[in-house]
Amino acid sequence: MELLEIDSIHHTYFTPDSATTALEDISLTVTEGEFVSFLGPSGCGKTTLLSIIAGLFQPSSGRVTIEGESIEKNKHKIGYMLQQDYLFPWKNIEENILLGLKTMNRLTAEKKAWALNLLDEIGLEGVAKQSPNQLSGGMRQRAALVRTLALEPKLLLLDEPFSALDYQTKLKLEDLVFQTLKSFNKTALLVTHDIGEAIAMSDRIVLLSAKPGRVHKVVHVPKELRELVPFHARNHEAYSVCFQGIWKELETLESAK
Ligand code: ADP
Ligand code: MG
């Protein structure tokens, strides 16, 4: 079943003295359970696209639907995870991860138990009463993942969620996020400028060209890589072949400028 349909999105930002076209003619459908990455250089419109998909603002033209309905009325079906974790420093981890449920009046004993259990499962046992300031960057991003999943989103939007972390933590979190999302059969869109991360995590990669952001090419990740956790995918022989292919595509884009 198609979960998400992105239909002919164009977006131009207007400021008093300029107009910047960030996205041009972006169309894509995403099936339930799929993991799709948008890969492209800084400034090619990745965050703009995710914000539009999240229903944070309307595109200049085009439409986004989730389960056949407009995104504006279905924002609750979307979970957003960003480079910065936005945990509130004056609340402890438990309060932070339950805050969304509480504000939406959806907090039940069952949901609380589920979220606290997930916190344990992803390696954060014993931190529920701690302040975010007591945790490392990687631990904070895990807590942010639990907070996002607690709201039971149909679709997860991940905007460079690992890019502020050191390399080892990033590799570990890729595996953790990958396995957690797979275990709940979640659909996810990841934006990244990291070719390896896109290959290791995705079923499909959408290569975006810059200024304005357009779909340059869609790459299907080979089956043998899709079945592996990211860390093992990175060590598979098919990985470097895929990497070289995408590298060449991005080089053509660079030289076409
Ligand atoms: P990315 O996430 O790929 O780095 P963005 O979506 O943030 O790219 O930006 C795409 C383009 O739109 C850039 O040229 C950026 O300068 C421009 N842009 C982004 N946000 C705004 C805004 N609020 N007003 C004007 N221009 C913007
Ligand atoms: Mg961005």
Side-chain angles (χ1 to χ4, degrees):
M1 189 185 112
E2 304 298 0
L3 179 78
L4 180 77
E5 284 199 59
I6 303 166
D7 184 16
S8 318
I9 296 288
H10 288 250
H11 191 70
T12 302
Y13 288 106
F14 291 100
T15 59
D17 47 26
S18 70
T20 310
T21 298
L23 298 170
E24 207 167 84
D25 200 21
I26 308 278
S27 293
L28 186 81
T29 54
V30 180
T31 310
E32 192 152 14
E34 222 186 344
F35 197 116
V36 178
S37 289
F38 291 94
L39 179 64
S42 172
C44 76
K46 300 183 297 296
T47 296
T48 303
L49 182 59
L50 280 201
S51 307
I52 290 169
I53 296 170
L56 299 182
F57 57 82
Q58 295 246 357
S60 306
S61 67
R63 232 165 88 84
V64 180
T65 53
I66 184 161
E67 296 183 314
E69 295 178 43
S70 85
I71 209 77
E72 285 78 30
K73 292 189 197 109
N74 289 281
K75 288 183 197 158
H76 61 279
K77 292 185 181 169
I78 306 237
Y80 216 150
M81 199 172 153
L82 307 163
Q83 183 179 342
Q84 251 192 305
D85 55 59
Y86 295 105
L87 295 169
F88 293 118
W90 59 88
K91 291 189 179 291
N92 68 29
I93 294 299
E94 177 177 324
E95 289 163 341
N96 266 290
I97 63 174
L98 299 177
L99 187 66
L101 286 170
K102 207 168 158 187
T103 30
M104 292 170 93
N105 262 330
R106 284 171 48 200
L107 185 60
T108 59
E110 212 178 353
K111 288 196 168 142
K112 179 176 172 177
W114 184 89
L116 290 175
N117 181 50
L118 183 59
L119 202 59
D120 288 353
E121 270 180 24
I122 67 169
L124 289 182
E125 52 283 299
V127 308
K129 303 294 177 198
Q130 289 185 15
S131 146
N133 299 332
Q134 292 172 268
L135 309 188
S136 68
M139 291 166 89
R140 293 173 61 118
Q141 271 307 42
R142 291 186 211 197
L145 176 67
V146 177
R147 180 189 55 191
T148 308
L149 289 174
L151 292 164
E152 297 174 90
K154 281 265 168 184
L155 174 69
L156 268 112
L157 304 178
L158 311 167
D159 193 350
E160 311 206 21
F162 313 119
S163 59
L165 305 169
D166 62 78
Y167 194 63
Q168 263 173 299
T169 306
K170 168 191 159 89
L171 292 186
K172 283 186 195 157
L173 262 192
E174 281 178 10
D175 278 13
L176 188 93
V177 170
F178 178 89
Q179 284 169 317
T180 310
L181 296 188
K182 285 277 175 277
S183 73
F184 296 117
N185 192 34
K186 290 287 179 201
T187 314
L189 299 184
L190 168 76
V191 308
T192 180
H193 54 255
D194 180 336
I195 303 174
E197 182 171 292
I199 299 171
M201 297 203 66
S202 324
D203 299 313
R204 248 191 313 160
I205 303 171
V206 179
L207 302 186
L208 294 176
S209 62
K211 294 193 187 334
R214 287 202 194 101
V215 175
H216 169 66
K217 198 169 187 173
V218 179
V219 176
H220 291 262
V221 175
K223 190 164 183 289
E224 58 266 40
L225 295 181
R226 280 185 277 148
E227 286 167 351
L228 297 173
V229 292
F231 190 81
H232 290 138
R234 284 174 184 272
N235 290 310
H236 192 284
E237 58 187 11
Y239 172 87
S240 39
V241 178
C242 199
F243 194 103
Q244 293 302 327
I246 292 177
W247 179 269
K248 280 198 192 121
E249 286 297 337
L250 296 178
E251 285 283 294
T252 12
L253 281 179
E254 276 293 309
S255 54
K257 267 188 201 165

